[in-house]
Amino acid sequence: MPVLAPGTTLAAAYDFVIVGGGAAGCVLANRLSASPDVSVLLIEAGPDHRGRDEIVDAARWDRLLGGELDYAYRSTPTPQTADRPIDMPRGRVLGGSSSINAMLWYRGNRADYDAWEAAGAEGWGYDSLLPYFRRSEDKPGGDPAFRGVGGPMRIRTTEDVHPIATALIDAAASLGHPVIDDANAASNEGAVWADFNAVTIADGTLERWSTARGYLEPVLDRANLSVLVDSRVLAIELDGARAVGVRHTVDGMTVSTRASEGVVLAAGAIDSPRLLELSGIGAPEVLASAGIPVRHALAGVGENFQDHPLVLGMNFRARSPLGPPRGNGGGSMLNWRSSLAEAGPDLHTVVAHGSRGDAALHAAHDLGGDDVFAIVPGLMRSRSVGHVHVRSADPDAAPDVQPNYLLDERDFAAMLEAVRDVHELLASAPYREITSGPIVPAANLGARELGDFVRRNVGTFFHCSGTTRIGTDEGAVVGPDLAVRGLDGLWVVDASVMPSIPTCNTQAPTIAIAERAADLIGVATGALGDAA
Ligand SMILES: Cc1cc2nc3c(=O)[nH]c(=O)nc-3n(C[C@H](O)[C@H](O)[C@H](O)COP(=O)(O)OP(=O)(O)OC[C@H]3O[C@@H](n4cnc5c(N)ncnc54)[C@H](O)[C@@H]3O)c2cc1C
């Protein structure tokens, strides 16, 4: 069935209603509708992704931020981030954030997932997830023990390499970091050419490959799958302790659609807990302060918000103009440890074509010209934990998004180390050959000035997660089967279920979670039928 336009007749009921057509939602729509006997409705708040050149243009992905396909959330300021609200983009379009993200395809390492299992997420360790990572991807030429071929997500490295990206690999090697072939195989420590969810087109440039392209487009002709765009879910409808459908907008009106097997929430780490709270599912004190009657008390909803902080303002000038951006504007990455006490790489950096930093940084420094590039270091084992909560019963009211970046002093210390290490990379021979040095920050800042720079320039690596975490303890929101604890017919399947943030970008893990979730839900409800 083609994508439904607003106003098109909807059925009154489906077996499953999936809320959110993002990274996870498109996976679920594909897998849950694999059996023709199961009817599935996917509801997406944003528009159709097709026909929008700005989405597929990999090199200019950052131009999507703050535009019409971005929810453009902002964090609640804290002293640790110099009292600045931080932009928190999220995709509002089919494919969700996979349609606006930087396309790095990176799954971290075994320890990230084994920690989930050890914390009570039974069945979510690396050995259980590895088949789903492999099933999700089409990565030619990888080690088959780790990499998949023929899956929906096309994964490529960039063939059109820029010297600023090559220099990162050479600089890292010159300082003694390992150079590895594949960060998604046995070890992720060292310098490496990054994988992207993208296809290479004729002239060697990359074109984005979102979950909407990989999972949804190929199955849009299934008669048992309906996709509704430009329709926002306002609440989950409950009958006692059972989710029976959703209330959502269609063409300016509010309608209800029933789900006989249940509702699968895949609205992402900000909007999934928000929708639970708007539906009266959450911590009683949070709901009371927002004026929402409690339908189901669940203390952990919206807690355990985790993200990776980065430093956005490290800008350098090349000795000659860079020309047009290639790859995703970068192409290489380095994963390393802030201290030998870390069990694995906790720092990560990428190269970015063009200047990076907020308006204040651009006002204070000359960051213009075609010769400017940035190195963006991030902390991948962040220990600060925040929350996201509704502030009122009004679905249009902005939520309180509180990442608490740098609240844990260990995160602050690691970010200082990351900035110093980037300066060391840029002082090495491979970068000295092509750069005339830093624009900002200066390489010789004292500890106090450097700390100030970090607080003023910390931002998000865009990896919001953890706000409806898996577990069996009081603070867990979903059980290992991803069903909301204490309710029937309601699951959460997206980045919010991660018990702790893995030391990598979060799209590949979210897709693997959704792949496994579809099997779990399909088997639990009998929905997969012959497709199981
Ligand atoms: C700018 C940016 C850059 C990033 N870069 C990378 C990267 O390079 N590599 C990487 O691995 N990860 C990256 N990420 C993170 C990655 O994209 C996310 O972790 C991943 O997409 C999360 O998937 P999800 O399904 O949880 O949420 P999303 O993909 O965000 O999908 C949620 C969907 O739900 C919809 N929705 C929300 N509320 C409602 C509602 N009420 N009704 C109906 N629909 C609703 C949204 O419109 C959206 O389509 C980036 C993210 C951003 C924003």
Side-chain angles (χ1 to χ4, degrees):
M1 172 175 274
V3 174
L4 294 176
T8 307
T9 310
L10 277 170
Y14 295 81
D15 292 322
F16 290 100
V17 171
I18 301 167
V19 179
C26 290
V27 178
L28 293 162
N30 177 312
R31 299 302 187 197
L32 288 178
S33 66
S35 165
D37 300 334
V38 176
S39 61
V40 174
L41 172 66
L42 175 67
I43 303 181
E44 167 55 38
D48 193 348
H49 65 290
R50 291 175 294 180
R52 291 175 177 267
D53 293 345
E54 72 273 27
I55 291 181
V56 289
D57 185 354
R60 299 185 190 276
W61 66 271
D62 51 324
R63 292 192 186 174
L64 295 165
L65 308 189
E68 61 157 330
L69 305 181
D70 177 6
Y71 285 94
Y73 291 117
R74 303 191 93 193
S75 72
T76 304
T78 66
Q80 287 75 32
T81 56
D83 298 316
R84 294 171 304 122
I86 290 170
D87 291 335
M88 310 285 297
R90 295 282 96 193
R92 197 188 64 84
V93 58
L94 278 177
S97 299
S98 84
S99 286
I100 70 162
N101 69 16
M103 294 154 288
L104 282 161
W105 186 258
Y106 177 35
R107 66 170 83 136
N109 64 38
R110 165 179 287 276
D112 294 322
Y113 306 96
D114 289 348
W116 292 1
E117 181 127 38
E122 196 187 339
W124 293 96
Y126 187 70
D127 287 335
S128 307
L129 273 169
L130 183 56
Y132 295 100
F133 279 119
R134 295 179 64 247
R135 177 164 111 179
S136 70
E137 65 181 11
D138 175 45
K139 164 69 184 176
D143 176 349
F146 295 96
R147 307 308 303 266
V149 178
M153 293 304 285
R154 298 202 186 157
I155 309 303
R156 305 289 184 268
T157 52
T158 176
E159 293 164 15
D160 186 24
V161 175
H162 197 283
I164 57 169
T166 310
L168 180 64
I169 307 250
D170 295 342
S174 77
L175 295 177
H177 293 281
V179 176
I180 57 175
D181 285 341
D182 184 354
N184 293 313
S187 167
N188 61 330
E189 184 155 15
V192 63
W193 290 107
D195 276 352
F196 296 104
N197 47 296
V199 286
T200 312
I201 52 175
D203 58 359
T205 59
L206 291 181
E207 207 179 80
R208 176 189 302 277
W209 194 259
S210 66
T211 55
R213 286 183 84 178
Y215 280 92
L216 202 56
E217 280 185 29
V219 299
L220 280 175
D221 60 351
R222 286 182 185 164
N224 59 322
L225 172 64
S226 302
V227 181
L228 185 61
V229 292
D230 297 317
S231 173
R232 181 172 170 208
V233 173
L234 302 173
I236 298 143
E237 297 194 321
L238 297 174
D239 181 2
R242 182 170 188 87
V244 292
V246 296
R247 201 164 68 247
H248 58 118
T249 62
V250 178
D251 219 6
M253 303 204 312
T254 300
V255 301
S256 289
T257 299
R258 310 273 295 180
S260 51
E261 290 289 353
V263 174
V264 189
L265 206 48
I270 294 179
D271 275 295
S272 281
R274 188 179 179 199
L275 271 172
L276 288 172
E277 290 182 349
L278 287 170
S279 311
I281 302 165
E285 62 279 11
V286 170
L287 299 178
S289 70
I292 299 171
V294 179
R295 302 293 305 274
H296 179 65
L298 202 50
V301 173
E303 295 296 313
N304 192 45
F305 185 108
Q306 300 188 28
D307 191 8
H308 296 135
L310 51 66
V311 171
L312 208 51
M314 298 194 74
N315 291 290
F316 302 84
R317 208 168 278 287
R319 292 191 189 277
S320 51
L322 300 175
R326 304 183 202 164
N328 74 336
S332 51
M333 64 184 190
L334 172 64
N335 306 309
W336 79 109
R337 302 180 200 213
S338 61
S339 113
L340 289 178
E342 291 293 342
D346 61 323
L347 298 178
H348 167 87
T349 199
V350 292
V351 183
H353 187 114
S355 67
R356 290 292 187 280
D358 63 10
L361 193 84
H362 280 83
H365 300 272
D366 173 15
L367 296 175
D370 181 27
D371 51 356
V372 178
F373 70 99
I375 304 277
V376 185
L379 174 61
M380 305 306 253
R381 182 166 291 110
S382 42
R383 287 158 168 122
S384 304
V385 174
H387 61 255
V388 53
H389 288 305
V390 293
R391 295 179 198 268
S392 98
D394 176 0
D396 290 327
D400 171 21
V401 181
Q402 180 48 273
N404 276 330
Y405 296 126
L406 308 183
L407 184 62
D408 190 308
E409 279 296 316
R410 290 170 295 181
D411 291 359
F412 183 54
M415 289 288 358
L416 293 181
E417 186 58 32
V419 173
R420 289 192 196 103
D421 290 349
V422 167
H423 273 310
E424 206 183 326
L425 285 165
L426 267 288
S428 70
Y431 269 121
R432 273 206 320 270
E433 261 175 44
I434 59 165
T435 62
S436 57
I439 306 172
V440 60
N444 57 355
L445 291 185
R448 195 192 170 105
E449 292 163 296
L450 186 59
D452 193 48
F453 177 82
V454 165
R455 293 202 190 286
R456 288 185 185 285
N457 291 283
V458 71
T460 173
F461 227 126
F462 315 116
H463 299 154
C464 311
S465 49
T467 46
T468 68
R469 72 174 167 84
I470 309 172
T472 50
D473 58 295
E474 278 301 291
V477 174
V478 296
D481 56 358
L482 302 191
V484 173
R485 294 173 59 240
L487 294 176
D488 291 323
L490 182 60
W491 298 266
V492 186
V493 180
D494 58 29
S496 65
V497 303
M498 296 180 188
S500 55
I501 191 166
T503 58
C504 56
N505 310 69
T506 41
Q507 151 188 250
T510 302
I511 290 168
I513 287 171
E515 282 277 13
R516 181 161 190 269
D519 277 2
L520 292 177
I521 295 170
V523 168
T525 59
L528 282 184
D530 292 340

